Every structure is written in C-alpha cells, then in structure tokens.
C-alpha cells in the first residue's frame, strides 16, 4: 500500500489527495498543513463576502473526511519543523502544494512608509490569518490607493467600501469588523499601469463594484480611450471584451450624485514614488504611460499625485524556497516535469509538486484541479518503484515521537465549534478565531 504525504491543504493539496484516492484504491494520504485549519486560501484568501466561493470548503471537506485521507494540521515542514528529508523517510512519496507565500514588491522609493501595505497583509487581517500581526490599516485614512487591477485589488477595494450591515453577516473577525465599520475612508482609487483591455480582474468581480450600496464608481473616458482596443473591443478575448464593456457603461453613465463612498478606476498610471506626509504615506506619485505597441507601456514624463493615507499594493504573488527542495528564483517555482521534482535537471524519485509552487501564481481556484491531476498521474506511474521502499514506522507515530503534535480532524472540528460559539456570543454567525493561541486552545480541547 502506497502512503503519500501532501504538504498543503488548500485547493491544490486537496485535489491531489482526491485524485490519489480516486485513482488508486489502496493509497493512503496524509495532508499536512502548517496551520491548524484546512483549506488554505479558500479560508484565508477568499473575501468574507464571497459566500458562494467560500462554500467550496464543503467540497474540500469531503476530500479530507475520506476514509483513506488524514488531516494533520499544525505541522511545519522545513528547518523549524519536519525536514523534507524526514518526510521522504516516512512516506513513499511527498507532494508539495505550498502555493506562493509572498508578495511582489514595487521597488520604488517610499514603499516601506507607514500606511503602505501589501494587499496580502490587509487580506490576512480581515480573514483572521493567525500570522497577521498588523492592524490599524484604516486608522486616520480618508483616501486609499490600491495599486493593481486584478481580483485581489478588486476584493480589497470592495472591503474598503462595504458597510457594517453588509460585513456583519460574514465570518470576518470582530476586531477587523469593528475597525472597518469605523473607517473614514470615503474615496478609493484602484490604479493600473496598463489599459482596461489588459486588466486581470474577472468581469464578475468588476461588476460587484458597481452594485455596492452607497458607492459611486467613476471611470475617466479619456483614460480608457488611450487603450487601442477600447474603441473596438471585438478582437479581444471574451473575458477582456466584457470588462471593457462594463467600464464603458460606467464611463458613459451620468454621476448618481453624492454617495458615502467613491471608487475611481484609473489606468495607464505607473507608480514611481510614495510620498511622505508627517512620517507616513500621504500620496502616491504616478507617471502617465501609453501603449508601446508591443503589449507593454512606456512612460511619458508626465506625472500626477493622488492623495492617500492608505496604500495597498496588489501586484502579484511569488513562491518562496523551501529548504531541501530545489528552487528556480526567476520563476518562483520548484523545477519540475509534469509535477516530478527535478534536481539539476534529473527527476528526484518520490518528490512532486502541484499548484502555484509548480506552475507559478496563475489561474483561478479551479485551475488547480487539472494541475494536481497531472502531478498525481506522474506519481502513480512511478508507484511500482516507489512502493518497494520500506517505511520505518507509521508516519503519525513517528511524527509524535519526533515531538510533533499534529492537529487532527477532531481538532479542526473543535475549532469550528469554538468559532460558532464565538459568533453566537456576538450576535453574529460563525466568527473566525484570529490568533494562534485561541486556535490551538480550541483544537486541544478535542479528544486526542
């Protein structure tokens, strides 16, 4: 019987576990996660007001409750936990599904000023990620600039414009809910360095901005017209064409009058500097860009400043190396061939990758399914050779002997009960526990 470790319980990890148990009737899978909670970015990345997408947790739950799948949370893989070499001793094969854990930087002056944050830090805060140590995002801010025009940029823009009545039914942690309800941010600028036909948001996410209560969405027709595809979008792929049509509708619509919140979508502006005011960010300086005819943009030497006491940078994610695995710094991925890890160009037996650490931070949640299936196909092709290795001990017993105390499924269920009880005590639905101590205390309350 093949025993496989999957590192990471987000969509790519769960889909890998699902493919393994579906395609091999005897394989057993341990899904390891650094956090005591499963589901990865579905729990800690999907916006709290996106209930339909968050309901994907129900599908992932079915995988982790399979009789041949075991969830082991709170297990750090790497130098401060279980070394990768130790995992290879304990399992016939290991599939790494760690995602892309850090943000890309702008690399411009002032980026580290107080009040300038990565969008991921903001998302982690309102999603109750236990590693989130930051707060005070909106304190003292009247105007915000979101740099980037992807779905994460749309999410954080929408969160800044949401009201208490809309956020209260979500599972947002109480401290974040209280802070956002008291926010004085009335204007949010979402800014891209290229044009509307090259924006990365989906049309569904874009349209949600126009449906926010008490919020006006403004677009400058002159800026949109700088995009050669704006006048005639018929040659664009369907998704980009729909985006342009939504933006055109907003540009041509008369203003609805004063609203509590205003969202301005800006294009062809490249950030060049964050400007300080009283020791913190006070504005962002942009250079006007124009299309260069080759899919990129070039600067014009014309500059504009947009006031902002809060700046959220949303310009992409990047994988980080894991000690014991090869890493391609240029792509931020582990070198692989159809999911098989390559060491100096040679396949490393028993080591595999899936998800963003395999292909880079591209695609949507569903993209992870075929990605993971390809990796599992490779693994099962290798299975006859892998199964010949004798394992020294039952992996969970060995991990415990090494001093590791995994949070098993019953521990996660205890966290769920604690979050339901917290929500009830606050007159809300489920409310997430926001820190390591409260999560682990709840998990340890479960029977061993």
């Amino acid at each position: 019987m093949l025993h496989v470790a999957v590192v990471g319980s987000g969509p790519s990890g769960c889909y890998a576990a699902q493919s393994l148990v579906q395609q091999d009737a005897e394989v057993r899978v341990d899904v390891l996660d650094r956090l005591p909670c499963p589901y990865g970015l579905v729990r800690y990345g999907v916006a709290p007001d996106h209930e339909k997408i968050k309901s994907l947790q129900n599908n992932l739950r079915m995988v982790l409750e399979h009789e041949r799948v075991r969830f082991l949370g709170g297990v750090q893989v790497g130098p401060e936990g279980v070394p990768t070499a130790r995992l290879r001793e304990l399992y016939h094969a290991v599939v790494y599904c760690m995602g892309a854990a850090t943000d890309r930087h702008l690399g411009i002056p002032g980026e580290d000023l107080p009040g300038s944050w990565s969008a991921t830090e903001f998302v982690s805060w309102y999603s109750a990620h236990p590693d989130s140590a930051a707060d005070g995002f909106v304190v003292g801010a009247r105007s915000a600039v979101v740099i980037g025009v992807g779905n994460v940029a749309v999410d954080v823009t929408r969160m800044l414009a949401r009201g208490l009545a809309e956020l209260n039914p979500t599972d947002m942690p109480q401290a974040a809910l209280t802070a956002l309800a008291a926010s004085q941010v009335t204007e949010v600028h979402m800014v891209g360095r290229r044009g509307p036909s090259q924006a990365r948001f989906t049309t569904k996410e874009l349209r949600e901005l126009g449906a926010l209560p008490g919020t006006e969405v403004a677009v400058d027709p002159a800026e949109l017209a700088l995009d050669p595809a704006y006048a005639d979008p018929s040659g664009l792929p369907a998704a980009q064409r729909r985006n342009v049509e939504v933006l055109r509708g907003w540009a041509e619509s008369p203003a609805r009058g004063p609203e509590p919140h205003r969202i301005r979508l800006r294009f062809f502006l490249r950030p060049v500097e964050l400007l300080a005011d009283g020791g913190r960010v006070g504005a962002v300086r942009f250079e006007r860009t124009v299309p260069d005819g080759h899919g990129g943009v070039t600067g014009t030497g014309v500059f504009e400043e947009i006031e902002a006491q809060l700046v959220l940078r949303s310009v992409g994610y990047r994988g980080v190396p894991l000690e014991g695995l090869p890493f391609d710094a240029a792509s931020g991925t582990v070198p692989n061939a159809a999911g098989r890890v390559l060491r100096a160009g040679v396949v490393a037996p028993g080591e595999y990758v899936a998800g963003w650490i395999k292909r880079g931070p591209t695609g949507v949640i569903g993209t992870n399914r075929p990605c993971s299936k390809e990796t599992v196909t490779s693994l099962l092709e290798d299975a006859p050779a892998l199964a010949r290795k004798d394992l020294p001990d039952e992996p969970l017993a060995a991990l415990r002997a090494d001093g590791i105390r995994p949070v098993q499924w019953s521990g996660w269920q205890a966290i769920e009960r604690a979050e339901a009880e917290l929500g009830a005590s606050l007159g809300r639905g489920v409310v997430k526990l926001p820190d390591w101590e409260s999560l682990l205390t709840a998990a340890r309350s479960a029977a061993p």
Side-chain angles (χ1 to χ4, degrees):
M1 179 182 288
L2 203 66
H3 207 156
V4 179
V6 172
V7 180
S9 66
S12 62
C14 286
Y15 291 147
Q18 184 179 48
S19 290
L20 281 163
V21 295
Q22 285 179 343
Q23 295 185 53
D24 187 319
E26 292 191 342
V27 69
R28 290 179 297 157
V29 182
D30 284 350
V31 179
L32 283 61
D33 202 293
R34 185 177 68 85
L35 299 175
C37 309
Y39 313 136
L41 283 180
V42 178
R43 176 174 168 91
Y44 289 119
V46 174
D49 62 340
H50 274 176
E51 288 298 326
K52 185 174 181 180
I53 302 175
K54 287 173 73 68
S55 69
L56 177 63
Q57 292 182 18
N58 298 327
N59 296 22
L60 304 185
R61 171 186 291 275
M62 293 175 63
V63 176
L64 295 174
E65 289 183 333
H66 191 280
E67 61 183 2
R68 287 183 284 119
V69 176
R70 182 166 57 182
F71 174 70
L72 301 178
V75 179
Q76 173 81 39
V77 174
E80 297 180 6
V82 183
T84 55
R86 180 61 170 151
L87 282 185
R88 287 288 296 117
E89 293 173 358
L90 297 177
Y91 295 91
H92 293 109
V94 183
V95 185
Y96 295 94
C97 308
M98 300 97 64
T102 191
D103 295 270
R104 294 185 181 275
H105 292 273
L106 297 171
I108 61 174
E111 187 169 7
D112 296 324
L113 281 169
S116 168
W117 312 83
S118 72
T120 300
E121 290 174 297
F122 187 57
V123 171
S124 293
W125 171 67
Y126 68 59
S127 297
H129 195 293
D131 287 343
S132 176
D135 59 13
F137 291 91
V138 296
V139 174
R142 304 176 306 278
S143 177
V145 164
V146 178
I147 299 173
V149 283
N151 278 346
V152 174
V154 175
D155 279 348
V156 299
T157 295
R158 195 177 64 253
M159 286 297 104
L160 288 169
R162 283 284 194 204
L164 175 61
E166 301 151 70
L167 294 176
N168 194 60
T170 74
D171 61 6
M172 181 180 288
Q174 188 66 24
L177 176 70
T178 300
L180 288 173
S183 169
Q184 299 300 306
V185 174
T186 57
E187 190 155 46
V188 185
H189 305 258
M190 189 169 74
V191 188
R193 64 185 178 87
R194 297 195 292 176
S197 68
Q198 297 165 315
R200 302 296 295 272
F201 43 61
T202 59
T203 309
K204 182 178 181 297
E205 290 256 0
L206 180 63
R207 284 184 176 132
E208 286 184 31
L209 295 179
L212 292 172
T215 302
E216 177 192 357
V217 179
V219 191
D220 185 349
E223 258 176 13
L224 298 180
L226 293 173
D227 190 329
Y230 179 69
D232 180 13
S234 60
L236 292 173
Q240 284 73 32
R241 186 173 66 251
R242 288 192 295 267
N243 285 344
V244 169
E245 289 167 352
V246 172
L247 292 166
R248 175 181 282 112
W250 287 338
E252 294 174 352
S253 298
R256 295 183 301 190
E259 298 280 7
H261 293 100
R262 189 175 196 227
I263 295 172
R264 297 199 65 191
L265 301 182
R266 304 295 307 275
F267 297 96
F268 293 112
L269 290 173
R270 177 168 57 200
V272 295
E273 185 177 4
L274 271 61
L275 305 175
D277 180 12
R280 57 175 293 120
V281 68
V284 185
R285 193 171 193 235
F286 291 93
E287 181 182 15
R288 168 67 64 196
T289 61
V290 292
D292 64 4
H294 304 287
V297 292
T298 185
T300 63
V302 176
F303 297 90
E304 174 182 342
E305 293 178 9
I306 299 178
E307 177 192 350
Q309 297 79 37
L310 169 64
V311 176
L312 298 174
R313 313 178 307 272
S314 180
V315 290
Y317 295 95
R318 182 173 177 77
V320 295
L322 176 63
E323 186 172 303
L325 280 184
F327 187 73
D328 177 9
S331 64
T333 61
V334 171
N336 70 93
R340 295 180 175 94
V341 171
L342 299 176
R343 294 182 180 273
V346 179
V347 170
E351 295 182 301
Y352 303 86
V353 286
W356 279 1
I357 201 65
K358 170 187 174 183
R359 68 181 192 273
T362 60
V364 294
I365 290 174
T367 312
N368 291 293
R369 189 184 291 275
C371 173
S372 295
K373 189 173 183 179
E374 178 191 55
T375 296
V376 167
T377 298
S378 295
L379 190 160
L380 293 179
E381 287 174 357
D382 303 340
L386 298 173
R388 287 197 287 268
K389 181 175 76 171
D390 290 328
L391 301 183
D393 199 352
E394 202 287 324
L396 179 55
L399 289 170
R400 284 177 168 156
D402 291 345
I404 307 297
R405 294 184 63 198
V407 174
Q408 294 188 257
W409 194 250
S410 59
W412 161 239
Q413 290 175 312
I415 291 173
E416 289 185 301
R417 288 193 296 272
E419 293 185 334
E421 292 166 3
L422 173 61
S425 73
L426 295 168
R428 299 174 58 195
V430 170
V431 174
K432 286 181 183 172
L433 298 173
D435 58 84
W436 278 98
E437 182 179 0
S438 57
L439 288 168
L440 292 177
T441 297
R444 304 302 183 207
S445 71

